[in-house]
C-alpha cells in the first residue's frame, strides 16, 4: 500500500499569511483605540447627564413657581437659604441646587451637583479646586464657572492626551433663555 500525502501548497500558505497580516493591520489600531473610545463615551454620558439635569431642575423650578418652601430641604446641603426659595435654589433628594433663571448655574453647586458627576454633593463655598479633587476619582475635572448669566463651566474627562480638548461646556442662561450646552470636543481624548 502506498499512501499519498496531501499538504498545503506554498501559494495557499502565502495567501493565509497575507490575510492574517491584513486583519492585524486593520484590527490592531482598533484595539489600541479602546481607551479613547471609552473616554469619548464617558464624555457623552456626562453631557447627557448635564442636559437631563438641566431639564429636570427647570421643570422643578417651573412647578414650584418661585414660591419658597416653608421647611428646610431634607438633605440640608447646598447654597443658602436652607429652605429653597425656588428662585435662587431648589431642593432635590441630594441637597439644594443653585439656579439662575430657572436653570442650574454653571458652578459646582449648580450643574455639577445637579448632574451627579460624583456621589459627593458639594456644599456652598466649595471651590473648583476642591471639587476637582473629588471629581478626579470619577475621571472628570471642571474649569471656570460662576453664578452669573453667561458664565461658562468646562467639564473634561481626564486621562487623554489633552483633557482640555476632551470636554464640553455649559453656559448659564440669560433671562428668558435656555443654557447652552456645547457639542463635545474629542481631539484630546
Amino acid at each position: 500500500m502506498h499512501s499519498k500525502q496531501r499538504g498545503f501548497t506554498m501559494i495557499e500558505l502565502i495567501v493565509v499569511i497575507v490575510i492574517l497580516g491584513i486583519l492585524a493591520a486593520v484590527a490592531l489600531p482598533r484595539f489600541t483605540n479602546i481607551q479613547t473610545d471609552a473616554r469619548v463615551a464617558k464624555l457623552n454620558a456626562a453631557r447627557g447627564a448635564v442636559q437631563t439635569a438641566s431639564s429636570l431642575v427647570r421643570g422643578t423650578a417651573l412647578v414650584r413657581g418661585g414660591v419658597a418652601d416653608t421647611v428646610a430641604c431634607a438633605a440640608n446641603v447646598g447654597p443658602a437659604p436652607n429652605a429653597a426659595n425656588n428662585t435662587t435654589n431648589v431642593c432635590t433628594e441630594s441637597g439644594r441646587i443653585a439656579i439662575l433663571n430657572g436653570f442650574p448655574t454653571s458652578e459646582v453647586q449648580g450643574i455639577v451637583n445637579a448632574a451627579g458627576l460624583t456621589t459627593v454633593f458639594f456644599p456652598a463655598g466649595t471651590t473648583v479646586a476642591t471639587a476637582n479633587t473629588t471629581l478626579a476619582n470619577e475621571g472628570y475635572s471642571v474649569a471656570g464657572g460662576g453664578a452669573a448669566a453667561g458664565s461658562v463651566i468646562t467639564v473634561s474627562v481626564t486621562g487623554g492626551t489633552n483633557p482640555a480638548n476632551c470636554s464640553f461646556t455649559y453656559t448659564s442662561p440669560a433671562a428668558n433663555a435656555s443654557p447652552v450646552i456645547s457639542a463635545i470636543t474629542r481631539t484630546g481624548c
Side-chain angles (χ1 to χ4, degrees), residues 142-187:
V142 294
S151 295
V152 179
I153 192 165
T154 302
V155 178
S156 302
V157 172
T158 59
T161 57
N162 184 359
N165 288 329
C166 186
S167 62
F168 66 92
T169 61
Y170 174 91
T171 305
S172 288
N176 301 316
S178 296
V180 176
I181 302 169
S182 73
I184 66 166
T185 302
R186 59 181 285 170
T187 56

Side-chain angles (χ1 to χ4, degrees), residues 25-35 37:
V26 171
L28 191 59
R30 285 298 296 161
F31 288 127
T32 60
N33 261 349
I34 289 176
Q35 287 184 339
D37 292 345

Side-chain angles (χ1 to χ4, degrees), residues 60-69 84-90 99:
T60 301
L62 287 173
V63 166
R64 294 180 181 167
V67 176
D69 293 351
N85 60 15
N86 297 311
T87 56
T88 62
N89 67 50
V90 295
I99 62 172

Side-chain angles (χ1 to χ4, degrees), residues 1-151:
M1 289 214 223
H2 203 271
S3 71
K4 263 186 163 179
Q5 289 185 338
R6 294 191 52 103
F8 296 107
T9 66
M10 185 62 88
I11 300 288
E12 290 171 329
L13 290 173
I14 290 173
V15 168
V16 169
I17 291 170
V18 167
I19 290 172
L20 289 174
I22 291 170
L23 286 175
V26 171
L28 191 59
R30 285 298 296 161
F31 288 127
T32 60
N33 261 349
I34 289 176
Q35 287 184 339
T36 299
D37 292 345
R39 282 188 286 276
V40 170
K42 184 178 188 98
L43 187 61
N44 278 320
R47 186 176 181 274
V50 164
Q51 287 176 314
T52 302
S54 178
S55 296
L56 288 172
V57 168
R58 172 68 171 166
T60 301
L62 287 173
V63 166
R64 294 180 181 167
V67 176
D69 293 351
T70 56
V71 295
C73 294
N76 216 357
V77 178
N82 290 344
N85 60 15
N86 297 311
T87 56
T88 62
N89 67 50
V90 295
C91 282
T92 69
E93 60 277 353
S94 300
R96 293 180 308 284
I97 304 291
I99 62 172
L100 175 69
N101 300 319
F103 290 97
T105 60
S106 61
E107 58 186 341
V108 174
Q109 294 79 20
I111 195 62
V112 175
N113 275 350
L117 298 179
T118 180
T119 56
V120 175
F121 203 82
F122 300 109
T126 302
T127 64
V128 168
T130 302
N132 277 333
T133 302
T134 302
L135 287 167
N137 295 331
E138 304 294 336
Y140 296 109
S141 68
V142 294
S151 295

